[in-house]
Amino acid sequence: MGVIRKKTVTRGTEGGLKYICDVCSADITSTVRIRCADSICNDYDLCVPCFTSGETSRDHNPSTHSFSVIEQHSIPIYTRDWGADEELLLLEGAETYGLGSWADIADHIGGFRTKDEVRDHYIQTYIESSKFPLPERADSKDTALLEEVPREQFQANKKARIEEHKEAAKTAPPATPKQKPNSSVPACHEVQGYMPGRLEFETEFCNEAEEAVQHMVFDPGDGVNPRTNELEPEMELKMTVMNIYNSRLTSRAERKKIIFEHGLLEYRKNAALDKKRTKEERELINKAKPVARLMNHTDFEDLTKGLEYEHNLRQAISQMYHWRAMRISDLKGGEKYEQEKQARLSRPAPLNSFDRIAGVRASKPPAPIETPHATREFTALELPDRLKPQPPQPPKGPLTNGTTNAQKATYNVTPVSGTQPLKLTHENATDLHLLSKEEKELCAALRVMPKAYMAIKEGLLREAMKSGGSLKRKNAKEVCKVRLAQCEHSPILAN
């Protein structure tokens, strides 16, 4: 075989077609070669020395087979820098690989032609020609370009261009390795088993669905009874199987739509986002994933963000309840408490004398409690404006019963003569935060603890509900068993 399609590893090198002698295997790409024209010898080439000495191989018979002399067509015919041999290789490569595969066509041409250079030459010479689809100099009698650039000068320019590219290739940095092609094979995607070229998976949903219909045959005119024009039972069975198969294909397409719409094929991106979430947040989102089949991607993202916000808010409220149980009244004290708590957890357990003698080391301290990163937003010292408590706004317009807005009547506590008011704080009264300002002043004046006051208040309210909302002092004395003088200072019995 006298033709070798030389495909190089990197683009833009001396690739292209390489012709060798079928007898001595000499390279005759750039010289005159003799080609056998007989139909028995297909692509049979000989060098000039082998032809003159009568050498032969395989089925070639030089005494009876006709031949043709092929010279090197390295002359310009359409442009100054492209020879006739390169024009032929360009058209042959376009026919073989298709227009648009400029990298493969450049490899087919060789001579350090790049894909951009081949594309630009084809567009300027053939597409933009006034004689489209023929070039401007398509006339065989037009020899003006050959007279302007003789064969010797053109070949010298071509040789100089190739040598220049060779020197540049020696000093050029190493080329980047060829990336894995985006072909339809299961191993070319970050999700194992997915074939992006075909938008399919190696194992589909209901992967055996095609087995029920692979041997099913529908011939024209079959299945209809010519006498009654009704479907035969066999055809009805085939149609039922086809309906089942179509329903499975529909379910398969719906699942693919969910995968593509929610970006589940971007495994690395989704894994990076999961690492930023806490364990509780990941479990919360995993529980919400079945709802994604009923929502688009934007709505599902809003839902998950809302669930994360609610979760973090509940965590912050639970933390504040814990701080209040520990008698912490401000955010600064809570932050200090958390720091000290982490420091206590990080300390190793104390060793007794027996452990020191045995050389037993302290066990590894427990891992710190994982606090959601968004929870700190609700427990920070400087809360955002949207999280600061807003003063209640009075309702505008008339109320439901037709009356106008009325301000709440204030109650002034009168001190009890002969008694010293009690100083109530969060340290000595744990339920002080449950009382209003007036109730705190009343408990301090009467020297009653908040817990006892809450019990008295609950008993009075229950008794008042039984009697239709009104309660006399005598009844209050019987219920709470307190002095009548103390009942006079109660805001509940003031009206």
Side-chain angles (χ1 to χ4, degrees):
M1 191 69 177
V3 181
I4 295 178
R5 294 187 181 275
K6 181 182 178 183
K7 297 292 288 183
T8 54
V9 177
T10 57
R11 303 288 187 185
T13 57
E14 285 188 283
L17 291 177
K18 181 179 180 181
Y19 297 94
I20 62 172
C21 178
D22 285 290
V23 176
C24 64
S25 300
D27 188 3
I28 54 177
T29 305
S30 303
T31 61
V32 179
R33 65 183 185 274
I34 311 299
R35 168 159 290 191
C36 181
D38 196 276
S39 59
I40 300 178
C41 301
N42 185 22
D43 292 337
Y44 190 87
D45 297 319
L46 293 173
C47 62
V48 176
C50 292
F51 176 75
T52 55
S53 60
E55 299 292 340
T56 180
S57 63
R58 295 187 298 181
D59 297 334
H60 179 65
N61 188 359
S63 59
T64 59
H65 291 183
S66 58
F67 62 91
S68 59
V69 180
I70 300 177
E71 297 183 3
Q72 186 71 18
H73 302 296
S74 185
I75 55 174
I77 56 174
Y78 299 147
T79 58
R80 295 175 56 91
D81 55 344
W82 278 70
D85 53 347
E86 293 177 318
E87 298 288 351
L88 290 174
L89 292 173
L90 171 61
L91 298 177
E92 182 182 348
E95 182 181 2
T96 304
Y97 303 104
L99 286 177
S101 302
W102 303 115
D104 295 330
I105 297 175
D107 284 348
H108 184 78
I109 297 173
F112 286 96
R113 295 293 185 184
T114 62
K115 62 177 183 178
D116 297 334
E117 188 177 2
V118 173
R119 181 190 65 243
D120 296 341
H121 174 74
Y122 183 83
I123 294 175
Q124 296 172 4
T125 305
Y126 297 92
I127 304 299
E128 298 178 355
S129 173
S130 60
K131 300 179 182 179
F132 176 81
L134 299 177
E136 294 287 347
R137 302 178 183 271
D139 191 359
S140 59
K141 298 179 181 180
D142 188 1
T143 59
L145 187 60
L146 182 60
E147 295 175 357
E148 182 181 352
V149 183
R151 179 193 295 268
E152 293 77 11
Q153 180 181 353
F154 178 80
Q155 292 181 354
N157 295 339
K158 181 179 180 180
K159 184 178 180 180
R161 181 179 60 84
I162 293 176
E163 292 296 333
E164 181 181 354
H165 281 82
K166 284 183 178 180
E167 293 297 330
K170 292 180 181 179
T171 58
T176 57
K178 188 175 181 181
Q179 299 295 331
K180 186 179 293 185
N182 193 19
S183 58
S184 294
V185 293
C188 67
H189 196 267
E190 56 185 283
V191 177
Q192 187 177 6
Y194 176 65
M195 296 175 283
R198 300 171 58 181
L199 300 179
E200 295 180 353
F201 292 88
E202 187 177 9
T203 303
E204 294 282 352
F205 173 75
C206 291
N207 201 41
E208 298 81 10
E210 287 76 9
E211 294 181 359
V213 297
Q214 61 180 350
H215 300 299
M216 193 175 295
V217 179
F218 291 89
D219 293 329
D222 287 352
V224 180
N225 193 334
R227 297 180 180 178
T228 60
N229 292 330
E230 295 180 355
L231 288 178
E232 295 181 354
E234 182 180 359
M235 181 57 65
E236 292 181 358
L237 177 61
K238 288 184 179 181
M239 296 304 297
T240 303
V241 174
M242 288 300 299
N243 291 334
I244 296 174
Y245 173 66
N246 291 331
S247 64
R248 291 178 178 177
L249 291 184
T250 303
S251 301
R252 184 183 300 175
E254 291 177 353
R255 281 162 173 78
K256 284 185 180 179
K257 181 181 177 181
I258 295 171
I259 292 175
F260 297 149
E261 184 177 359
H262 291 274
L264 301 181
L265 293 175
E266 300 176 358
Y267 175 76
R268 295 187 180 92
K269 179 181 178 181
N270 296 333
L273 293 176
D274 285 340
K275 289 182 179 179
K276 297 180 181 179
R277 300 187 178 100
T278 61
K279 181 180 178 182
E280 292 80 4
E281 291 175 348
R282 288 194 294 268
E283 293 178 353
L284 188 65
I285 293 177
N286 289 333
K287 292 180 180 179
K289 281 183 179 180
V291 190
R293 299 179 60 181
L294 308 176
M295 309 171 66
N296 56 33
H297 183 63
T298 305
D299 294 343
F300 183 71
E301 287 290 331
D302 296 340
L303 174 65
T304 54
K305 289 180 181 178
L307 293 176
E308 290 180 7
Y309 180 81
E310 179 187 4
H311 172 73
N312 296 327
L313 191 61
R314 289 179 180 273
Q315 291 282 348
I317 294 174
S318 176
Q319 190 177 37
M320 289 182 178
Y321 271 119
H322 179 67
W323 289 354
R324 188 172 66 181
M326 302 303 295
R327 299 184 179 181
I328 298 174
S329 58
D330 53 356
L331 295 176
K332 186 176 180 180
E335 183 180 2
K336 182 179 179 181
Y337 169 77
E338 292 296 331
Q339 293 177 356
E340 294 177 353
K341 182 179 179 181
Q342 295 294 336
R344 288 194 303 269
L345 293 176
S346 61
R347 295 174 186 172
L351 301 178
N352 52 30
S353 58
F354 296 100
D355 294 334
R356 294 191 185 95
I357 296 174
V360 178
R361 296 186 178 181
S363 60
K364 186 177 180 181
I369 301 175
E370 185 179 14
T371 304
H373 56 87
T375 306
R376 304 189 188 96
E377 181 182 0
F378 305 103
T379 59
L381 296 179
E382 296 295 335
L383 292 177
D385 295 336
R386 60 186 178 85
L387 298 177
K388 291 182 178 179
Q390 300 294 334
Q393 299 294 337
K396 297 181 181 180
L399 298 179
T400 56
N401 57 359
T403 59
T404 58
N405 299 329
Q407 295 183 356
K408 182 181 178 181
T410 58
Y411 176 76
N412 297 323
V413 180
T414 57
V416 180
S417 60
T419 59
Q420 184 69 20
L422 183 64
K423 293 182 179 181
L424 300 176
T425 61
H426 290 282
E427 285 74 14
N428 57 12
T430 57
D431 299 330
L432 186 62
H433 62 280
L434 301 176
L435 304 182
S436 63
K437 182 180 179 182
E438 291 81 0
E439 291 176 336
K440 293 179 182 178
E441 295 178 357
L442 177 62
C443 291
L446 298 179
R447 300 183 63 85
V448 178
M449 297 302 292
K451 189 171 183 179
Y453 173 79
M454 294 295 294
I456 296 173
K457 180 179 177 181
E458 182 180 1
L460 293 175
L461 289 175
R462 288 182 178 178
E463 190 66 24
M465 292 297 295
K466 293 179 181 179
S467 58
S470 61
L471 187 64
K472 296 182 179 180
R473 298 182 183 180
K474 182 178 180 181
N475 297 333
K477 181 179 179 182
E478 294 176 356
V479 172
C480 300
K481 297 181 181 180
V482 295
R483 290 179 299 173
L484 190 60
Q486 291 182 347
C487 296
E488 296 177 355
H489 299 276
S490 175
I492 304 176
L493 304 177
N495 297 329

